[in-house]
Amino acid sequence: MTPGMLSGALAKWQNGRYLAASLWDNAYSHQRYADRELPVLINESGLIDST
């Protein structure tokens, strides 16, 4: 798990959509993940649009 992340879950629906939920110890940890790590993970996944 990423430092600062307390918990996380991922769900997939039958229509191919996903829901990711996470719990963080503070806003700084979440922002650091969103700015530094998430873009790398999205790029590695090959996703074109993550919305």
Side-chain angles (χ1 to χ4, degrees):
M1 217 173 342
T2 300
M5 181 186 274
L6 301 174
S7 183
L10 181 66
K12 179 182 179 185
W13 276 262
Q14 291 180 353
N15 63 2
R17 299 200 60 160
Y18 293 84
L19 172 68
S22 56
L23 179 64
W24 297 86
D25 61 354
N26 57 53
Y28 173 78
S29 294
H30 177 263
Q31 193 62 53
R32 184 183 65 220
Y33 170 80
D35 292 341
R36 297 180 187 173
E37 298 177 45
L38 186 57
V40 173
L41 294 171
I42 291 171
N43 186 48
E44 289 177 354
S45 75
L47 289 175
I48 297 170
D49 183 4
S50 64
T51 58

